[in-house]
Amino acid sequence: MATGTLHIDLDAIAANWAALDAKTSVETAAVVKADGYGLRADKVALRLTRAGVRRFFVATAEEGIRLRAALGHGFEINVFSGHMDGDTPLIREAGLIPMLNSAEQVTRHRVALPGAAYGVQLDSGMNRLGMEPADWATLRSDLEAGPLTLVMSHLACADEPAHPMNPAQLACFTEMTAGVTVPRSLAATGGVLLGPDYQFDLCRPGVGLYGGFPFADATPVVRLSLPVIQVRDVSAGETVGYGAGWTAERKSKIATLSAGYADGLIRYMSDKALLWAGDTPCKLAGRVSMDLLTVDVSTLDEVPDHLDILGPHQTVDQLADEAATIGYEILTSLGPRYARRYSGDAA
Ligand SMILES: *Cc1c(COP(=O)(O)O)cnc(C)c1O
């Protein structure tokens, strides 16, 4: 087989959820947007229901309808983008709960689906999604009189515990929601780790479930193994890859692996990222191409049939550092060509 294998440990995801849940005394939901951060929302969510999760969050109603098909009824599916034009049939059919972000969305939801549940997303300072304090002040009593399930907001800097935005947003959210009787939620993964002041009634971690920063104690979830297609010797002075970008300083051995930027191994990793043959690191030699990587395996006595680019030696965040990005982007870029193999899947 010439495609890489992405091993996904669903038990590790459940363990990460339980470890985050243990840091709070309130309900812990799960964010499975972007197809479960690239790992398949249906598999992840089904495993998490067995761990005790009852509420899920997705980005769009389209994601919500697919998740409902996988989960069946009895679980709450909340949609961060709220009630967009065209969402009505999806929200109705799948019983989704939109997090209403604006007066316009409030009107759309009430006209299209009178009596249908909703949450409200407030802007406490990130200026991305949610009602501004003035909108909320105008609409609040009316919204509270209806089937309101949740009032939430999102932290911009929760992965930097000392950032002054954290207490500023906490104060803003606390003030905006004073006297609210429905559950309140401010914390994603970073917010859970900021402690009880930030946890309110419901936490909604995403990346920590999948083993990513800022949950430093997470159990690793993914291992990505790439098959070696060919191995060759190159002499000192020969070059490797597009642009002849890497030159052998001495006689070297180059392995060509099946995966490239079309699979989420972005070109910026060229000449920098490490792959692992068991415990031995081997560096990328030359540019990442669309379907192939070239790796300097000169130190190996024997070249194995696979090298790992993610696994116990290299987390998504460590690989992200080599690519000037973040673990979230590495995870959600892992392409459709990999064979996804799940452990911990059995009912
Ligand atoms: C993505 C997202 C989350 C989850 O954030 P993580 O940092 O992955 O834990 C929670 N809430 C909102 C509004 C989000 O967009």
Side-chain angles (χ1 to χ4, degrees):
M1 197 169 73
T3 57
T5 304
L6 181 60
H7 300 269
I8 298 161
D9 186 347
L10 296 171
D11 287 339
I13 294 176
N16 289 332
W17 178 81
L20 288 167
D21 184 50
K23 294 183 187 295
T24 82
S25 56
V26 300
E27 181 180 347
T28 306
V31 178
V32 296
K33 62 190 180 188
D35 204 11
Y37 289 51
L39 303 183
R40 298 289 182 260
D42 53 350
K43 298 266 190 194
V44 169
L46 278 169
R47 180 65 186 84
L48 287 173
T49 62
R50 290 201 285 125
V53 179
R54 289 291 168 270
R55 277 196 226 219
F56 294 90
F57 289 83
V58 293
T60 66
E62 285 78 3
E63 291 182 333
I65 206 152
R66 283 195 293 275
L67 185 62
R68 179 63 77 202
L71 288 181
H73 286 274
F75 303 98
E76 207 178 87
I77 301 175
N78 299 282
V79 181
F80 288 136
S81 57
H83 191 145
M84 295 288 288
D85 196 23
D87 283 352
T88 299
L90 308 182
I91 292 172
R92 186 199 303 116
E93 277 158 41
L96 308 176
I97 302 183
M99 300 290 112
L100 303 177
N101 288 296
S102 64
E104 186 193 3
Q105 290 199 346
V106 170
T107 305
R108 181 181 294 126
H109 187 68
R110 291 190 146 177
V111 169
L113 298 171
Y118 53 84
V120 168
Q121 182 157 203
L122 302 177
D123 177 28
S124 57
M126 188 171 179
N127 285 311
R128 186 181 68 166
L129 272 185
M131 290 181 202
E132 300 282 328
D135 288 328
W136 172 236
T138 309
L139 294 165
R140 176 174 171 170
S141 58
D142 215 20
L143 286 167
E144 286 189 286
L148 175 63
T149 59
L150 185 71
V151 178
M152 59 163 284
S153 188
H154 194 49
L155 295 167
C157 305
D159 58 347
E160 297 175 62
H163 202 291
M165 274 295 275
N166 295 319
Q169 286 194 266
L170 175 62
C172 180
F173 185 66
T174 303
E175 192 187 322
M176 284 175 88
T177 60
V180 162
T181 54
V182 300
R184 297 184 287 173
S185 178
L186 181 61
T189 303
V192 172
L193 302 173
L194 292 177
D197 288 352
Y198 288 82
Q199 295 171 356
F200 292 88
D201 306 303
L202 178 85
C203 297
R204 22 170 245 280
V207 77
L209 308 176
Y210 308 97
F213 179 82
F215 187 24
D217 301 332
T219 304
V221 168
V222 291
R223 184 160 69 88
L224 179 55
S225 300
L226 305 177
V228 176
I229 305 178
Q230 205 183 353
V231 182
R232 77 187 66 245
D233 293 320
V234 297
S235 311
E238 282 195 274
T239 63
V240 172
Y242 279 124
W246 185 89
T247 305
E249 281 168 14
R250 58 190 76 81
K251 185 175 181 297
S252 304
K253 196 159 47 171
I254 299 292
T256 303
L257 275 55
S258 179
Y261 59 75
D263 306 292
L265 302 176
I266 62 177
R267 209 163 155 276
Y268 195 84
M269 294 174 191
S270 300
D271 289 320
K272 290 195 281 279
L274 297 175
L275 288 95
W276 295 81
D279 295 330
T280 309
C282 305
K283 210 178 212 181
L284 280 182
R287 291 190 195 162
V288 173
S289 44
M290 186 184 293
D291 318 295
L292 298 166
L293 303 174
T294 40
V295 183
D296 182 358
V297 292
S298 305
T299 56
L300 302 180
D301 296 330
E302 227 174 290
V303 181
D305 54 11
H306 288 81
L307 299 184
D308 289 350
I309 193 161
L310 292 171
H313 294 297
Q314 186 159 265
T315 65
V316 289
D317 298 298
Q318 288 166 325
L319 184 59
D321 284 345
E322 299 298 344
T325 183
I326 53 175
Y328 298 73
E329 190 175 14
I330 297 290
L331 274 174
T332 55
S333 300
L334 294 171
R337 282 199 289 202
Y338 301 124
R340 283 164 167 75
R341 296 263 181 278
Y342 293 85
S343 57
D345 200 8

